Amino acid sequence: MLRILFHCAPMNDFIHFVRLCQTPFPKSVGDTGLGTQTTTTSIAELIADRIDSMPAGERRAAQTLVANYPVIGLKTVADFSQQAGVSSPTILRFVARLGFQNYPEFQSALQDELAAQLQSPASRTTTVPSRSDAASPMIEATLDNLRETFRHLSDKQLNEIAEKMADHRGHMFLIGGRFTDPLARYMAAHLAIIRPNVFHLVGQESMWRDRLIDMGKRDVLVIFDIRRYQDSLIRFAEKAHQRGVQIVLFTDQWLSPIARFARHVIAGRTAVPSPWDSSAALFVVAETLIGAVTRQMEPDSARRIREMEGLR
């Protein structure tokens, strides 16, 4: 299982990041701007793939980059090294370990990722296929997203997240962005049947903040956030993190800024041949976790389901 320890977290607090696809050398990242995917691994994915083999200094650089992704990597080597607390040569060795020839090439890849993060649907115009094959490219891209998302999603990682979600000593809160909140609502509707104290946060941001008073270290906050990342969710995640709430983040391969506050990060492929991103892979991960939590809570979950059916 891959683990990324953020530099701002306690030493025993790990971020579990899902690797999605692997290529030897990064040349560009993101999608093509036409709504189609590339197979190139993002820098965050490269870090997750190689962090276990990094010396302590390079690991520190990796943790600093992921915790400030991707902004710190766009600064000078001197600024990056100062924030990471390592030497400038260590930063250059870290960049080389990721497969880049030099620091400018590394920064160019980060700039491509940042551009992909900021793309609006209008910038992802596509050529309209003929009526006979309109569905085929979308189906193939969605299936590929599913395959790549689950390729490195280990049973151990799923079980650890499910175990935390099954801990009914704390409350669970779920929320999503403009297009991903239906996933949060769907997941909350299922989990509320098998365990108590599950709440889907809705309404205005001020209403979410009011719920912070009831959140603490035993509680879990599940957030769905894909590009272009929602500022209100980022602010809310930061406040929850400050209260010790354990955050589970569902995001894309470019990583929502919420990743810096999250205990667990699940990154799924979202790019398809459309102006719109697809949440299909994240939806299937959510369903997988619903099943895993149900199994972990047996026989209590089965008894709760029977009792609930008897009340209808």
Side-chain angles (χ1 to χ4, degrees):
M1 180 178 60
L2 298 172
R3 299 178 296 182
I4 299 178
L5 173 61
F6 284 3
H7 77 285
C8 56
M11 288 304 293
N12 62 347
D13 193 11
F14 287 95
I15 296 296
H16 302 282
F17 176 76
V18 180
R19 288 181 300 175
L20 305 176
C21 63
Q22 298 180 7
T23 53
F25 298 101
K27 296 299 182 183
S28 62
V29 283
D31 63 23
T32 63
L34 299 177
T36 56
Q37 293 174 294
T38 67
T39 58
T40 306
T41 306
S42 73
I43 292 175
E45 292 167 339
L46 286 171
I47 291 172
D49 186 28
R50 304 176 189 190
I51 192 167
D52 287 339
S53 64
M54 292 180 184
E58 293 178 30
R59 182 185 293 258
R60 185 76 173 178
Q63 293 159 358
T64 301
L65 176 59
V66 174
N68 301 273
Y69 197 82
V71 177
I72 188 61
L74 298 175
K75 295 185 178 181
T76 65
V77 173
D79 289 340
F80 190 171
S81 64
Q82 182 178 9
Q83 185 155 342
V86 299
S87 66
S88 293
T90 297
I91 297 297
L92 297 178
R93 287 193 295 270
F94 161 68
V95 168
R97 188 178 297 274
L98 296 182
F100 296 97
Q101 298 299 314
N102 49 54
Y103 197 71
E105 185 182 30
F106 163 75
Q107 289 192 314
S108 178
L110 281 177
Q111 289 167 353
D112 289 342
E113 287 195 19
L114 186 59
Q117 286 182 3
L118 298 176
Q119 280 184 352
S120 71
S123 67
R124 290 177 240 153
T125 55
T126 59
T127 302
V128 179
S130 64
R131 184 177 299 272
S132 62
D133 65 354
S136 181
M138 189 71 171
I139 292 171
E140 289 302 316
T142 301
L143 291 174
D144 187 59
N145 284 345
L146 286 168
R147 283 190 292 265
E148 296 303 328
T149 297
F150 278 91
R151 179 176 294 180
H152 299 288
L153 181 54
S154 69
D155 289 340
K156 182 178 180 182
Q157 184 175 14
L158 278 173
N159 288 336
E160 288 185 353
I161 298 174
E163 182 178 356
K164 174 51 62 178
M165 290 182 170
D167 186 357
H168 57 79
R169 293 174 300 176
H171 294 180
M172 185 186 304
F173 302 88
L174 299 95
I175 192 170
R178 180 181 180 187
F179 296 112
T180 55
D181 193 57
L183 279 70
R185 182 170 64 249
Y186 179 88
M187 196 173 192
H190 284 77
L191 294 177
I193 295 174
I194 61 177
R195 57 151 291 173
N197 299 317
V198 175
F199 306 98
H200 175 223
L201 301 178
V202 295
Q204 298 179 355
E205 183 182 358
S206 59
M207 297 176 65
W208 314 342
R209 289 200 301 266
D210 289 346
R211 299 305 298 269
L212 286 168
I213 193 67
D214 298 320
M215 296 185 187
K217 294 181 178 180
R218 285 187 172 181
D219 299 325
V220 175
L221 173 62
V222 180
I223 303 179
F224 293 82
D225 189 36
I226 62 176
R227 67 175 182 180
R228 296 175 290 171
Y229 312 110
Q230 193 163 312
D231 289 341
S232 58
L233 289 178
I234 298 169
R235 291 191 296 267
F236 183 66
E238 183 176 13
K239 292 292 185 182
H241 173 71
Q242 290 171 354
R243 295 183 65 84
V245 179
Q246 299 187 54
I247 296 174
V248 177
L249 171 66
F250 287 72
T251 186
D252 51 34
Q253 68 261 38
W254 300 290
L255 295 188
S256 162
I258 295 172
R260 75 189 66 167
F261 310 121
R263 179 70 180 270
H264 301 278
V265 178
I266 296 175
R269 289 283 171 175
T270 60
V272 290
S274 165
W276 307 99
D277 282 333
S278 168
S279 296
L282 294 178
F283 181 83
V284 177
V285 175
E287 288 205 310
T288 302
L289 282 169
I290 291 169
V293 173
T294 303
R295 289 189 296 273
Q296 287 213 11
M297 296 197 70
E298 289 178 346
D300 292 342
S301 60
R303 182 168 56 251
R304 183 177 170 87
I305 291 172
R306 287 194 300 270
E307 290 179 1
M308 189 170 291
E309 289 295 325
L311 296 172
R312 292 181 176 176

